[in-house]
Amino acid sequence: MITAEAREQRLGRWQALLSGMGVEGAGASRVAKSGSVNLLSGVWLHAAARAEQGLELTELERSILAPLQQVLGEDEVGAIGRIYREQRSEGRSVAIVPQAVGTRSLSEGFDRESYLAAVAEVLPRIAQMPNVAVVDRARLADGGSVDTPEFTAALAEYGYGVTTFTGEGDDEADGLQAREPFRARLEWDTFYCHEAVGDQGGGRDEIYWTAASNAGCYTFKTRTTHTGSIEERDEYPIYGDYVTGSHVFFDTRLDGCGTTVITLWERDRSEDTAVLECNPQGHDLPFVARRQAGD
C-alpha cells in the first residue's frame, strides 16, 4: 500500500525535476539528460494539466493518461499536472519537456495530427541521440545484429534505448504511414548481461521483462517468467509469458506504425539491475521499441 508520505515524496521529486533543480538518482538524471526529446512525457504532462483544470481531453490524451491513472490514481496524476501547470504559469521553461510541447497553450489539446507534427519537429534531434538505433528489417531477418557497441554503451548511460526498424520503400511512405500493409511479429529470444550490478537484497538477481504493444486496433501486454542467478558476460533465454509460455509480444497486420515498450524489472524492485542487450526475433517491422533498464 502506498502511504501519503511516499506520495508526497514522489510529488516533491516531480517538483524538483520539472523546475530543473535536479533530483538525486540515476532515473531522474537520465530523464533530464534527454529533456529536449521527451515528447511523450511532455504530452502526458500537458494532458494531466488539462485534466486537472477540467478541460475536455482529446482521444489521444485520454489514451495516454488512462494507464497512468490506473497505476498512480487520478488524484496523483492530477497533482503532477498541477505542478506542471504552475511551473508554466510562472513563465519558466519546464526542464524535461521539448519546446514543441512547452510552447503549446494548455487550452489546446494534443490530437493525432498535432502529435505527429510535434514528432516531425523533434525527430531530427531524436535521430542524433546516441541511444537511438535504426535497423534494416532485411538485415534483421537474415540474422544480422540489432545493436552496436556504441548503442549498448548509450543504453547504459541513458537507461533506455529506442530501436526503429525500417526497410525498402519506407522512405517513399507518406509521412509516418507505411506504403503497404504487412504482417509483423516479434518474439522474445535471449538477452545478454554486460554487467551484473548485484541484488540490493542480497538475492539472486531475479529479473523479468514486460512488453506493451500498440498498433491501430491492436493492443497487447505481457509479462515474462523470472530469470534468476544472473551473472555478467553470459547469455540467457527469455522464457515467454509467465502464464501461457508464449514468446510472442507483437503480432498483427500493420497499416502504418506500431510501437512496443519493453521494460526490464528486478523482482524485488531494485533501482538498477544490469546492463542488458535484448535480442528479439522478428521481421518486417518498422516499429519503435523502447527498452528500459531498472524500474
Side-chain angles (χ1 to χ4, degrees):
M1 180 177 179
I2 299 175
T3 65
E5 181 181 4
R7 178 178 179 272
E8 288 304 313
Q9 288 176 347
R10 279 204 304 270
L11 292 178
R13 288 195 293 269
W14 273 107
Q15 178 75 61
L17 187 60
L18 295 178
S19 66
M21 295 169 52
V23 182
E24 293 184 359
S29 64
R30 289 161 177 166
V31 171
K33 182 189 290 288
S34 56
S36 64
V37 297
N38 284 332
L39 182 58
L40 189 57
S41 295
V43 171
W44 87 254
L45 286 167
H46 188 94
R50 284 170 42 77
E52 185 261 342
Q53 296 179 91
L55 299 176
E56 184 177 355
L57 302 183
T58 66
E59 181 180 354
L60 175 66
E61 291 174 325
R62 289 194 298 271
S63 68
I64 292 174
L65 285 189
L68 294 171
Q69 291 169 334
Q70 290 177 5
V71 174
L72 300 177
E74 290 188 24
D75 289 345
E76 184 164 342
V77 171
I80 297 171
R82 173 181 53 78
I83 293 171
Y84 173 71
R85 175 176 58 81
E86 291 174 348
Q87 176 72 15
R88 286 188 41 156
S89 67
E90 296 173 1
R92 293 180 292 179
S93 62
V94 182
I96 65 167
V97 172
Q99 187 176 11
V101 177
T103 57
R104 190 176 184 82
S105 170
L106 291 177
S107 64
E108 296 181 275
F110 272 94
D111 56 17
R112 183 177 182 277
E113 288 70 24
S114 56
Y115 179 74
L116 291 179
V119 170
E121 183 175 330
V122 302
L123 203 55
R125 290 194 292 276
I126 292 175
Q128 294 174 3
M129 299 289 286
N131 59 330
V132 173
V134 179
V135 178
D136 184 83
R137 297 194 306 268
R139 182 163 61 86
L140 179 65
D142 291 339
S145 176
V146 175
D147 299 333
T148 64
E150 293 76 16
F151 177 81
T152 300
L155 178 63
E157 180 183 358
Y158 282 78
Y160 70 94
V162 177
T163 301
T164 301
F165 293 93
T166 186
E168 183 180 357
D170 289 351
D171 56 347
E172 303 172 11
D174 180 13
L176 296 180
Q177 298 298 314
R179 186 173 61 176
E180 294 182 2
F182 56 87
R183 192 75 185 179
R185 178 185 175 100
L186 281 176
E187 299 182 8
W188 301 112
D189 184 14
T190 62
F191 67 89
Y192 181 85
C193 180
H194 292 271
E195 180 183 354
V197 178
D199 194 314
Q200 292 182 358
R204 300 187 306 156
D205 271 334
E206 294 178 314
I207 63 96
Y208 63 95
W209 303 82
T210 60
S213 302
N214 181 66
C217 296
Y218 174 80
T219 59
F220 183 73
K221 293 185 293 185
T222 182
R223 172 166 70 85
T224 69
T225 300
H226 296 97
T227 302
S229 301
I230 305 299
E231 298 180 1
E232 64 184 62
R233 308 301 175 188
D234 207 351
E235 188 174 68
Y236 297 87
I238 301 178
Y239 296 110
D241 185 88
Y242 78 107
V243 174
T244 66
S246 173
H247 282 69
V248 177
F249 62 88
F250 192 101
D251 187 11
T252 188
R253 184 170 176 79
L254 272 183
D255 183 8
C257 294
T259 303
T260 188
V261 180
I262 304 172
T263 309
L264 166 67
W265 301 85
E266 185 171 6
R267 191 172 186 178
D268 63 2
R269 298 181 63 84
S270 298
E271 290 185 1
D272 293 291
T273 51
V275 181
L276 300 173
E277 176 183 343
C278 176
N279 299 318
Q281 288 185 332
H283 55 85
D284 292 339
L285 182 58
F287 85 127
V288 177
R290 177 179 177 182
R291 300 179 300 175
Q292 178 170 328
D295 269 350

